[in-house]
Amino acid sequence: FYGREVFSPWLIMMQIVMLQSSFYISLSLVLFLANELAGVHDSVLDQMFQPEHTTFTTVPGWVTAAAFVTASLGPYLAALVLFIRRAKKCLDYTATLYIVHVVICVWYSQGLP
């Protein structure tokens, strides 16, 4: 899995922190811009971490879902390529991102989604 690289837990933790940070910063910016364009007045934090806001039955729900896809395909993908640089690790880091996101959602909304 590591080849010639030396196993470094600190490097892995820093990469996870960098990817989480880049994802949440880009998601925040995309949500803010999308909310302004669509005239949605919901809290960006609520849209990011409350599952009720990600729905396909309302315009704010569509905005939230589209922002997640846009942030995942654009800035997060660029950060993944920039920070990780190994195709074998990309799925692991992406799974880690969404597992941590679910844990944060459970903590923020004080319940399972």
Side-chain angles (χ1 to χ4, degrees), residues 71-92:
S72 296
L73 292 179
Y76 176 71
L77 190 59
L80 189 64
V81 170
L82 187 71
F83 295 134
I84 304 306
R85 298 185 181 162
R86 297 251 338 219
K88 289 182 179 181
K89 297 180 184 178
C90 288
L91 182 60
D92 296 336

Side-chain angles (χ1 to χ4, degrees), residues 41-103:
H41 301 293
D42 291 343
S43 165
V44 171
L45 276 177
D46 286 347
Q47 284 178 295
M48 286 171 49
F49 299 120
Q50 295 225 344
E52 303 88 47
H53 288 277
T54 308
T55 178
F56 294 107
T57 58
T58 63
V59 171
W62 276 97
V63 168
T64 304
F68 268 95
V69 171
T70 304
S72 296
L73 292 179
Y76 176 71
L77 190 59
L80 189 64
V81 170
L82 187 71
F83 295 134
I84 304 306
R85 298 185 181 162
R86 297 251 338 219
K88 289 182 179 181
K89 297 180 184 178
C90 288
L91 182 60
D92 296 336
Y93 281 97
T94 303
T96 302
L97 171 88
Y98 286 106
I99 289 169
V100 170
H101 181 71
V102 167
V103 169

Side-chain angles (χ1 to χ4, degrees), residues 7-72:
F7 176 70
S8 174
W10 287 108
L11 176 64
I12 293 170
M13 289 301 295
M14 291 309 297
Q15 288 173 329
I16 290 171
V17 168
M18 290 296 295
L19 287 174
Q20 289 288 144
S21 300
S22 67
F23 177 71
Y24 286 127
I25 289 169
S26 63
L27 181 60
S28 304
L29 292 173
V30 170
L31 274 171
F32 176 75
L33 292 173
N35 286 346
E36 290 297 317
L37 291 173
V40 176
H41 301 293
D42 291 343
S43 165
V44 171
L45 276 177
D46 286 347
Q47 284 178 295
M48 286 171 49
F49 299 120
Q50 295 225 344
E52 303 88 47
H53 288 277
T54 308
T55 178
F56 294 107
T57 58
T58 63
V59 171
W62 276 97
V63 168
T64 304
F68 268 95
V69 171
T70 304
S72 296

